[in-house]
Amino acid sequence: MKKQLFLISILLVSVFAYAQKNPVKVACVGNSITYGYGIDNREQNSYPSVLQQLLGKGYEVGNFGHSGATLLSKGHKPYIKQDEYKKALAFAGDIVVIHLGINDTDPRNWPNYRDEFVKDYLALIKSFREANPKARIIIARMTPLAHRHKRFESGTRDWHAEIQHSIELVAQEAEVQLINFHEPLYHYPQMLPDAVHPNAKGAAILAQIVYGGITGNYGGLQLPQVYSSNMVLQHGIPLTLHGIANTGTKVEVKIGNQKQTAIADTNGKWAVTLDPLRAKEVYTLAITAGKEKRTFTNVAAGEVWLCSGQSNMEFYMNQTSTGSKDIPQANNPNIRLYDMKALWRTDPVEWKASVLDSLNMLQYYAPAKWEVCTPETVSDFSAVAYYFGKTLQKDLDMPIGLICNAIGGSPTEAWIDRHTLEYDFPAILYHWRDNDFIMDWVRSRASQNIKKSDDKLQRHPYEPAYLFEAGIIPLQQFPIQGVIWYQGESNAHNKDAHSKLFPLLVKSWRNYFGNMQMPFYYVQLSSINRPSWGWFRDSQRRMLSQVPYSGMAVAYDYGNPTDVHPKNKQPIGERLAYWALNKTYGKTEVTPSGPLFKSVRYVEGAAFITFDYAQGLHSSDGKPLRTFELSGSNGIFYPAIAEVVGNQVKVTSPQVPIPTQVRFGWQPVTDANLVNEANLPASTFTTEK
């Protein structure tokens, strides 16, 4: 009841602003960010000035920001001891918007006086209520600090997070409205040129946040773009649908025989949770907010998979060796496609200034919608994704939804969320175009694309976190069953960095989609004349033991010595599907993988190797087993003789009388031929630790 009354009060204040003769006074209290430090033409472009323009004549906005001010009364520059504080009290605002805390991250402040923060904030709020007993208080979660801040890793990053939590406690204790200055700017670090202060574009975003918080006007009903007719909704789980509407608006969601309602909160957000949908049924989804209504037809309930990575995942059906045969036969209403295509390919060309501006605003993808699978829609859709989905659909006999989001040349780090990188791999964020983590050709292509810009903060799709921010966040946590992933070519020069990045990627996406057991099935790189690829393939194999609920499809037998884009994608998509059928859907009769190295023992000059998925070990071509190598204590490997003995492989070499290590399929281009009874190839491996 209290929440409903609060929402009503917001609307009444908004109406009152236009009904009374005297304007509603809005006091913007804060530090240098409120003041507008560093912004050209601060008097016009600081957030309070822009807020005045948005609110119009019914309001009078006062800027009471003071550079360097702390919330803490014992901080190095307490706000309550500044003239702006006295002026703000005298202003006696009807609405008081407070944004303080950034300067409290200074090592002179938070480490010493953190226990007093909540008490001091409550006292500040009380003082404004005493100045105007009817004042409506709004406090803000702090704007972000970019990783470029000089004290980011030495304490500021962590103290900033702790202060955010304290601000949330203050809002609860004081029963005041909490708005979010952090989230809208966090994904735009270029809007913080000095890592702290928003530029004019950033200030305009803050003004819009305050405007929505004051008026409750968020532009009416807004839904995630991924909601469209023909979509597939994940069946069998409670299903959360959400969006934006003006504060206090009743939102009604109808699907099948279900009807759920919600009220848009003070930040315009609403959500409903539906009971699990039954697979194979087709629905109409209707969402109504006030006089606005959106209706989506031919909505199926089934299995939804996100298909992502770089160009080998993007690779179209019409580019494959099997496309001419399979595209004409691709009419299947139980496969639905959502294809997220980039507006600009990362070819080595110089982009126009307008493109660079769009990239800075994370506007990199063309609008997409769900489509039924037909020869026309599948022709320029991911071949790996299509063959994966086709195999699942045939075996499971239910609708399959495939979301393709793959960008050619993209490195792993571009797909990981910023928070994860800031805490778990911050080094990769710094000077990303020049550091040692990025491949030379990736650096060269990116530099060519953004050559027109001399701004070191210019965004690019290969930048760490960029594709997560531009391509994963817009999915708005759309419920999915799992992920298939084909990427690594742009990280294959540095297996050690990738061995850290890949688990972070999986963790990042599982956190975002709210399922820490979400299946993540990936493709091991194929064969090509690049020296590091043997090492890299083995590092990918080792990820299986580091990343739970994962699976790896071997691909070297369909590689090409001179082409990083092999043309036959059908077996790759099918091998990914075998993992899903076995591990996700419990079809134990499906073998998910070829032989995977398990252990080795050395007996009388021979190595005996055991494998997982070792039933029916044999040579794929009827010839002797190839590409096994042995080494002794000196680490020099020699070609070896290998033969199947039961469910093991025995390996010997006359040049290595006392073997200590074994390799298999190690050459960048390998013709390895060990398979199991399902004719699935064994993975590259080394027993080296």
Side-chain angles (χ1 to χ4, degrees), residues 372-632:
V372 173
C373 183
T374 67
E376 293 73 28
T377 58
V378 85
S379 179
D380 60 354
F381 190 75
S382 163
V384 169
Y386 171 69
Y387 285 117
F388 170 82
K390 180 183 177 183
T391 305
L392 289 191
Q393 201 283 315
K394 180 180 179 181
D395 206 291
L396 300 177
D397 188 29
M398 71 169 61
I400 302 296
L402 302 171
I403 300 171
C404 182
N405 183 358
I407 300 299
S410 58
T412 307
E413 59 267 27
W415 295 98
I416 301 173
D417 75 278
R418 185 171 300 279
H419 183 270
T420 295
L421 292 177
E422 285 178 347
Y423 277 85
D424 296 328
F425 204 153
I428 206 165
L429 292 166
Y430 296 95
H431 312 292
W432 73 271
R433 278 183 260 164
D434 302 312
N435 66 34
D436 293 332
F437 297 111
I438 190 170
M439 288 185 74
D440 288 341
W441 71 266
V442 176
R443 177 189 295 111
S444 176
R445 183 182 294 187
S447 297
Q448 180 68 22
N449 293 155
I450 59 181
K451 192 175 180 180
K452 280 187 182 294
S453 176
D454 59 1
D455 185 358
K456 293 188 179 296
L457 300 182
Q458 172 63 48
R459 308 298 300 273
H460 187 278
Y462 295 168
E463 174 190 340
Y466 185 90
L467 291 174
F468 183 90
E469 293 169 339
I472 299 301
I473 288 178
L475 290 174
Q476 295 285 299
Q477 298 171 312
F478 191 77
I480 62 175
Q481 176 64 261
V483 174
I484 59 171
W485 176 258
Y486 194 164
Q487 191 276 337
E489 297 91 341
S490 292
N491 294 84
H493 67 301
N494 192 335
K495 70 176 182 64
D496 301 297
H498 181 265
S499 294
K500 298 177 184 177
L501 288 167
F502 184 74
L504 293 180
L505 168 77
V506 178
K507 182 181 80 168
S508 170
W509 287 22
R510 286 175 174 168
N511 275 326
Y512 182 72
F513 287 103
N515 179 5
M516 296 312 294
Q517 297 180 4
M518 183 177 73
F520 206 103
Y521 303 133
Y522 59 96
V523 180
Q524 186 185 53
L525 292 192
S526 62
S527 290
I528 197 172
N529 279 321
R530 294 183 181 174
S532 63
W533 278 39
W535 284 100
F536 193 81
R537 288 197 301 262
D538 183 64
S539 72
Q540 290 182 291
R541 177 190 64 83
R542 293 171 187 260
M543 291 295 103
L544 289 169
S545 63
Q546 298 179 35
V547 179
Y549 311 104
S550 67
M552 182 186 75
V554 172
Y556 62 69
D557 52 332
Y558 286 95
N560 187 304
T562 59
D563 189 351
V564 76
H565 301 118
K567 298 296 189 290
N568 190 355
K569 301 299 188 191
Q570 181 173 356
I572 310 307
E574 291 173 348
R575 289 172 185 179
L576 288 166
Y578 300 155
W579 276 104
L581 290 170
N582 180 281
K583 297 297 184 182
T584 304
Y585 301 110
K587 293 186 175 291
T588 55
E589 71 276 12
V590 177
T591 302
S593 174
L596 292 171
F597 170 75
K598 184 177 183 180
S599 64
V600 60
R601 60 188 178 91
Y602 300 101
V603 180
E604 297 179 350
F608 290 84
I609 305 166
T610 59
F611 298 87
D612 290 320
Y613 310 111
Q615 295 81 4
L617 292 176
H618 66 283
S619 163
S620 62
D621 53 9
K623 298 178 181 179
L625 296 178
R626 295 187 295 268
T627 74
F628 280 90
E629 301 172 82
L630 285 178
S631 81

Side-chain angles (χ1 to χ4, degrees), residues 10-298:
I10 292 177
L11 300 179
L12 290 177
V13 168
S14 180
V15 172
F16 181 64
Y18 292 94
Q20 67 171 354
K21 295 181 180 179
N22 298 319
V24 174
K25 292 183 176 181
V26 181
C28 296
V29 171
N31 46 41
S32 54
I33 294 169
T34 300
Y35 175 79
Y37 175 85
I39 297 176
D40 292 337
N41 194 7
R42 179 189 75 82
E43 292 76 12
Q44 293 294 319
N45 295 326
S46 66
Y47 103 69
S49 299
V50 177
L51 178 63
Q52 179 68 77
Q53 299 166 33
L54 294 172
L55 290 172
K57 295 181 180 179
Y59 293 81
E60 178 186 353
V61 179
N63 185 337
F64 302 101
H66 184 89
S67 293
T70 67
L71 183 284
L72 286 165
S73 61
K74 294 180 182 178
H76 72 276
K77 189 183 283 190
Y79 183 77
I80 59 172
K81 294 183 179 179
Q82 311 308 316
D83 289 342
E84 284 77 6
Y85 171 63
K86 298 174 184 177
K87 294 176 182 178
L89 289 176
F91 186 73
D94 301 298
I95 301 172
V96 181
V97 182
I98 306 173
H99 176 230
L100 285 167
I102 287 288
N103 294 306
D104 296 275
T105 63
D106 189 291
R108 293 171 288 181
N109 303 322
W110 187 253
N112 295 318
Y113 307 114
R114 69 181 77 199
D115 291 338
E116 300 178 32
F117 186 89
V118 172
K119 176 176 64 70
D120 287 351
Y121 212 140
L122 293 173
L124 180 70
I125 291 171
K126 181 181 178 181
S127 70
F128 284 111
R129 283 174 167 164
E130 290 174 346
N132 182 349
K134 296 182 179 180
R136 175 179 157 202
I137 310 295
I138 301 174
I139 68 174
R141 296 184 81 244
M142 295 181 296
T143 51
L145 294 173
H147 66 275
R148 291 171 277 106
H149 190 283
K150 63 182 180 181
R151 294 191 302 269
F152 188 74
E153 292 185 61
S154 66
T156 296
R157 173 194 62 193
D158 303 318
W159 300 336
H160 184 275
E162 292 172 9
I163 293 173
Q164 294 283 44
H165 178 64
S166 294
I167 291 172
E168 293 166 3
L169 293 178
V170 170
Q172 295 173 13
E173 181 67 21
E175 297 184 336
V176 297
Q177 185 178 350
L178 179 66
I179 58 176
N180 196 337
F181 274 6
H182 185 268
E183 182 182 13
L185 291 184
Y186 185 56
H187 308 301
Y188 299 94
Q190 82 282 0
M191 292 187 185
L192 306 172
D194 64 357
V196 179
H197 298 93
N199 60 15
K201 288 184 178 179
I205 291 175
L206 298 183
Q208 192 67 53
I209 295 301
V210 179
Y211 173 80
I214 289 175
T215 66
N217 183 353
Y218 291 96
L221 180 61
Q222 300 172 48
L223 300 173
Q225 183 178 308
V226 71
Y227 293 5
S228 80
S229 294
N230 302 315
M231 67 179 160
V232 179
L233 294 174
Q234 181 62 41
H235 81 104
I237 60 171
L239 198 64
T240 298
L241 302 181
H242 59 91
I244 298 292
N246 292 339
T247 295
T249 301
K250 180 181 178 180
V251 180
E252 183 178 85
V253 178
K254 291 183 178 179
I255 186 168
N257 59 4
Q258 295 191 57
K259 181 175 76 171
Q260 299 285 351
T261 60
I263 302 294
D265 67 15
T266 57
N267 293 309
K269 296 181 179 181
W270 61 266
V272 301
T273 300
L274 301 171
D275 294 334
L277 300 178
R278 290 189 297 179
K280 301 184 182 182
E281 293 198 15
V282 177
Y283 298 90
T284 294
L285 170 66
I287 301 176
T288 305
K291 296 180 180 180
E292 298 180 275
K293 185 175 182 179
R294 305 282 190 277
T295 301
F296 307 110
T297 59
N298 196 31

